[in-house]
């Protein structure tokens, strides 16, 4: 297994790293909850497959 | 495009990433992949990530060229050519937002394939018409699950910070990206944002707390073992959180003098139709592959050039006008018009390392045809640039020129001259024609019926 950090030529910033780790639990929980609701919603609502309007 | 002193060496913009570099050979733009990056590059291909991103239009497609020597070169790629390289400080709000969302989409798909973006520079995104695309094929690293996103800081500095300033403080702060070439420092963003930005949880976290964390840990290091807790779900949560933060930032593109310009001109509907007909006829005679529409406003005439098959860079100094133009291009899936925010009185100069990392506007030309419609009186009067200097700029910018002269009798010019009477004596049609005659040959000229204005089709002297 290579050490991918070798290719991190952009300084990630210690503060930026630590902030992400501090937020990890909240971000994961938020993601999990949204996925869960999306699944519940998916049982009742037909997907319309609309593309992202801001990027088209 | 300029290269470093070694003509076969890397482009002067391509030197930071040790994974490889871009160079020009026989007029073709090529990307070298270094042997040290072989494992990452192979993973990009074998994981299916390259195919998925290229198919979605998110990553520039390339073809591999046969290797000529077996040094540290692992691969040579020929990416699809980008018609015109533009820079983040030249983009309207919606363009920077689209580039940010593209970057996040790429990151999300990369994580799905066990990889990660190792950088999130806005300069890695370019536009093909209205569509943003990642051009750096070597931006990917194998993701060691548990590790936070190394490019998070760069993403916030290049995208989220400037977008927040443009949306929540003033759209003109987008120009800060021209000063800070590696993105706007987050402590400055935090200082410039209004207090109300702290009430938006995403800005509170990714700008305000982020800036504070950076300040507090400015010189610290992170224990490598401690970095193992950033799970895949946390990474996807981070990307989604940033996506929602970007989506929530908006800009209305109202309230500037220029954005309502077409509603307030001196043209009758018939005269405007006549002007469009004349411009179309002149464009068809010039047969350009590339057009620079200078002072393009919301792009009424850029569309004519694009319809004639020319890739058209539409420059205007008004961020609101460019915003509307870009949104219109996006709605129409315009493949050949690139609207950019450029102040012609102070166009982008050569910048970055050694004055050559980012090219000036003129260095990215010349265009086959320059269009300067309803522009010269603004340059000559509002910006006080004499006709011969305007003509010289146009000659450096393009091989041919469609230019409009608005005479003193026109009420708009008359109002300007009333405010700046000292410029009156030099603002005459004779002086205009004389100044341009030293640099251009007039191919055709026509009065725009129903107005006092005149159009010229010119060819630059001493240029094929």
């Amino acid at each position: 297994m290579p050490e991918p950090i070798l290719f991190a030529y952009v300084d990630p910033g210690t503060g930026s790293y630590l902030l992400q780790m501090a937020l990890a639990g909240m971000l994961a929980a938020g993601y999990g909850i949204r996925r869960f609701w999306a699944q519940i919603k998916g049982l009742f609502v037909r997907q319309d497959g609309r593309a992202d309007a801001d990027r088209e | 495009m300029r290269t470093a002193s070694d003509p076969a060496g890397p482009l002067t913009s391509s030197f930071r990433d040790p994974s490889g570099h871009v160079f020009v050979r026989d007029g073709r733009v090529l990307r070298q992949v270094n042997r040290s990056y072989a494992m990452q590059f192979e993973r990009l291909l074998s994981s299916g990530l390259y195919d998925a991103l290229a198919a979605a239009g998110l990553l520039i497609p390339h073809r591999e060229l046969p290797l000529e020597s077996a040094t540290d070169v692992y691969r040579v790629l020929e990416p699809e050519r980008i018609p015109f390289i533009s820079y983040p400080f030249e983009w309207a709000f919606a363009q920077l937002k689209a580039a940010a969302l593209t970057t996040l989409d790429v990151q999300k798909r990369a994580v799905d394939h066990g990889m990660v973006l190792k950088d999130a520079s806005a300069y890695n995104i370019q536009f093909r018409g209205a569509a943003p695309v990642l051009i750096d094929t070597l931006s990917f690293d194998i993701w060691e699950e548990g590790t936070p996103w190394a490019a998070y800081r760069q993403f916030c500095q290049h995208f989220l910070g400037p977008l927040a300033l443009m949306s929540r403080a003033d759209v003109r702060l987008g120009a800060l990206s021209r000063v800070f070439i590696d993105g706007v420092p987050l402590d400055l963003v935090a200082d410039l944002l209004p207090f109300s930005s702290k009430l938006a949880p995403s800005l509170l976290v990714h700008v305000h707390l982020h800036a504070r964390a950076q300040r507090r840990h400015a010189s610290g290091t992170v224990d490598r073992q401690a970095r193992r807790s950033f799970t895949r779900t946390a990474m996807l949560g981070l990307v989604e959180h940033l996506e929602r933060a970007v989506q929530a930032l908006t800009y209305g593109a109202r309230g500037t003098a220029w954005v309502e310009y077409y509603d307030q001109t001196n043209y009758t509907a018939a005269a405007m139709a006549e002007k469009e007909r004349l411009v179309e006829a002149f464009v068809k005679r010039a047969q350009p592959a590339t057009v620079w529409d200078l002072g393009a406003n919301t792009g009424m005439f850029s569309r004519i050039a694009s319809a004639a098959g020319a890739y058209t860079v539409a420059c205007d100094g008004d961020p609101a006008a460019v915003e509307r133009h870009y949104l219109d291009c996006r709605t129409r899936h315009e493949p050949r018009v690139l609207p950019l925010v450029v102040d012609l009185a102070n166009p982008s100069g050569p910048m970055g390392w050694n004055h050559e990392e980012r090219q000036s506007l003129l260095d990215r030309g010349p265009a086959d045809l320059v269009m300067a419609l309803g522009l010269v009186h603004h340059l000559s009067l509002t910006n006080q640039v004499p006709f011969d200097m305007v003509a010289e700029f146009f000659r450096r910018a393009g091989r041919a020129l469609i230019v409009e002269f608005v005479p003193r009798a026109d009420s708009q010019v008359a109002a300007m001259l009333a405010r700046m009477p000292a410029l009156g004596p030099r603002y005459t049609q004779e002086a205009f024609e004389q100044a341009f005659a030293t640099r251009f040959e007039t191919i055709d000229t026509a009065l725009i019926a129903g107005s006092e204005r005149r159009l010229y089709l010119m060819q630059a002297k001493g240029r094929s």
Side-chain angles (χ1 to χ4, degrees):
Chain A
M1 183 71 190
E3 286 284 317
I5 203 75
L6 285 177
F7 280 91
Y9 75 101
V10 171
D11 183 1
T14 306
S16 306
Y17 245 80
L18 292 173
L19 178 66
Q20 288 181 79
M21 298 206 309
L23 295 173
M26 181 202 86
L27 292 168
Y31 184 80
I33 290 166
R34 277 192 305 279
R35 282 290 86 83
F36 175 73
W37 277 115
Q39 278 178 4
I40 299 285
K41 229 168 101 180
L43 294 175
F44 300 100
V45 184
R46 197 163 53 87
Q47 294 284 324
D48 63 0
R50 192 166 55 89
D52 183 357
D54 265 323
R55 228 183 29 241
E56 277 187 294
Chain B
M1 200 175 293
R2 290 179 314 168
T3 59
S5 48
D6 172 9
L11 282 189
T12 49
S13 59
S14 180
F15 59 90
R16 293 186 196 279
D17 187 353
S19 310
H21 63 256
V22 179
F23 64 103
V24 175
R25 191 170 63 201
D26 305 328
R28 292 152 76 190
V29 178
L30 305 176
R31 187 180 290 277
Q32 173 178 317
V33 185
N34 291 339
R35 205 164 274 286
S36 57
Y37 187 72
M39 189 176 284
Q40 279 75 5
F41 185 70
E42 286 306 324
R43 179 70 73 89
L44 172 69
L45 301 181
S46 66
S47 66
L49 178 58
Y50 170 81
D51 287 333
L53 292 175
L58 293 167
L59 175 64
I60 197 83
H62 66 253
R63 64 188 189 98
E64 288 190 13
L65 299 186
L67 288 180
E68 288 170 359
S69 62
T71 51
D72 68 334
V73 183
Y74 181 66
R75 291 279 187 275
V76 173
L77 316 178
E78 180 169 24
E80 186 188 299
R81 189 82 180 239
I82 296 291
F84 184 89
I85 296 292
S86 61
Y87 301 129
F89 50 81
E90 298 168 332
W91 298 341
F93 175 84
Q95 287 169 300
L96 185 60
K97 183 171 172 175
L101 293 172
T102 297
T103 303
L104 292 172
D105 199 352
V106 170
Q107 164 71 354
K108 198 157 48 177
R109 292 174 197 236
V111 171
D112 282 340
H113 289 79
M115 298 196 85
V116 71
L117 275 177
K118 66 182 184 195
D119 49 23
S121 165
Y123 293 89
N124 283 347
I125 302 288
Q126 288 296 329
F127 284 87
R128 295 181 288 190
V133 64
L134 176 68
I135 59 162
D136 187 0
T137 315
L138 311 188
S139 272
F140 300 91
D141 209 342
I142 296 165
W143 186 41
E144 194 183 17
E145 188 165 346
T147 318
W149 188 19
Y152 170 62
R153 180 188 66 91
Q154 200 177 34
F155 179 85
C156 293
Q157 290 187 179
H158 280 235
F159 293 110
L160 187 62
L163 284 169
L165 288 175
M166 291 165 90
S167 169
R168 305 291 290 254
D170 192 308
V171 73
R172 290 169 294 186
L173 288 172
L176 277 179
S177 298
R178 188 163 155 180
V179 180
F180 297 99
I181 202 155
D182 191 26
V184 186
L186 292 179
D187 60 328
L188 178 60
V189 177
D191 283 348
L192 290 174
L193 280 175
F195 179 81
S196 61
S197 64
K198 291 183 180 173
L199 304 178
S202 55
L203 294 182
L204 175 68
V205 168
H206 298 300
V207 174
H208 293 284
L209 292 181
H210 196 169
R212 194 176 299 176
Q214 286 180 338
R215 232 186 332 250
R216 183 172 299 175
H217 304 284
S219 58
T221 53
V222 184
D223 173 18
R224 199 156 158 65
Q225 287 311 310
R227 293 194 201 131
R228 303 286 171 181
S229 56
F230 206 72
T231 61
R232 187 174 172 281
T233 320
M235 178 67 92
L236 291 171
L238 173 69
V239 176
E240 265 200 16
H241 205 253
L242 288 169
E243 242 170 16
R244 288 206 310 280
V246 170
Q247 290 282 17
L249 296 170
T250 55
Y251 166 53
R254 281 183 298 273
T256 67
W258 298 102
V259 78
E260 317 293 346
Y261 192 69
Y262 289 139
D263 304 332
Q264 298 164 6
T265 56
N266 285 345
Y267 286 104
T268 61
M272 190 54 103
E274 174 66 4
K275 183 175 175 181
E276 286 181 45
R277 192 190 65 74
L278 278 172
V279 169
E280 188 180 353
F282 281 0
V283 168
K284 282 185 174 158
R285 278 173 69 178
Q287 294 190 316
T290 53
V291 169
W292 287 4
D293 184 3
L294 303 182
N297 202 281
T298 52
M300 178 179 279
F301 298 100
S302 308
R303 276 193 285 281
I304 293 176
S306 164
Y311 194 85
T312 305
V313 179
C315 300
D316 201 280
D318 181 48
V322 179
E323 178 83 0
R324 285 213 189 163
H325 188 189
Y326 173 70
L327 291 174
D328 175 59
C329 286
R330 193 162 74 184
T331 307
R332 293 185 293 107
H333 301 286
E334 171 60 64
R336 281 187 301 272
V337 177
L338 175 61
L340 294 178
V341 182
V342 175
D343 174 7
L344 290 171
N346 180 22
S348 336
M351 305 175 14
W353 182 252
N354 205 17
H355 299 286
E356 54 185 16
E357 192 176 353
R358 308 292 169 212
Q359 294 184 300
S360 76
L361 180 69
L362 287 180
D363 282 339
R364 285 172 275 167
D368 291 340
L369 173 71
V370 165
M371 301 202 301
L373 304 168
L375 175 67
V376 171
H377 60 297
H378 293 294
L379 295 178
S380 297
L381 298 177
T382 312
N383 295 299
Q384 303 99 22
V385 184
F387 286 140
D388 59 336
M389 292 174 73
V390 174
E392 177 59 17
F393 178 72
F394 291 164
R395 193 196 62 79
R396 291 178 67 193
R399 300 181 176 91
L401 171 69
I402 299 175
V403 63
E404 178 181 13
F405 183 75
V406 183
R408 299 158 70 119
D410 184 278
S411 64
Q412 232 183 32
V413 166
M416 288 165 119
L417 283 173
R419 296 195 302 274
M420 298 168 275
L423 299 174
R426 72 183 191 196
Y427 193 88
T428 66
Q429 185 163 333
E430 295 69 41
F432 168 83
E433 289 181 353
Q434 216 167 16
F436 277 72
T438 61
R439 293 168 180 84
F440 291 92
E441 186 187 335
T442 298
I443 308 290
D444 200 355
T445 177
L447 197 68
I448 300 168
S451 81
E452 316 229 30
R453 303 177 166 204
R454 180 172 280 279
L455 278 187
Y456 300 79
L457 172 63
M458 298 180 176
Q459 181 78 44
K461 286 182 178 172
R463 243 187 184 151
S464 54

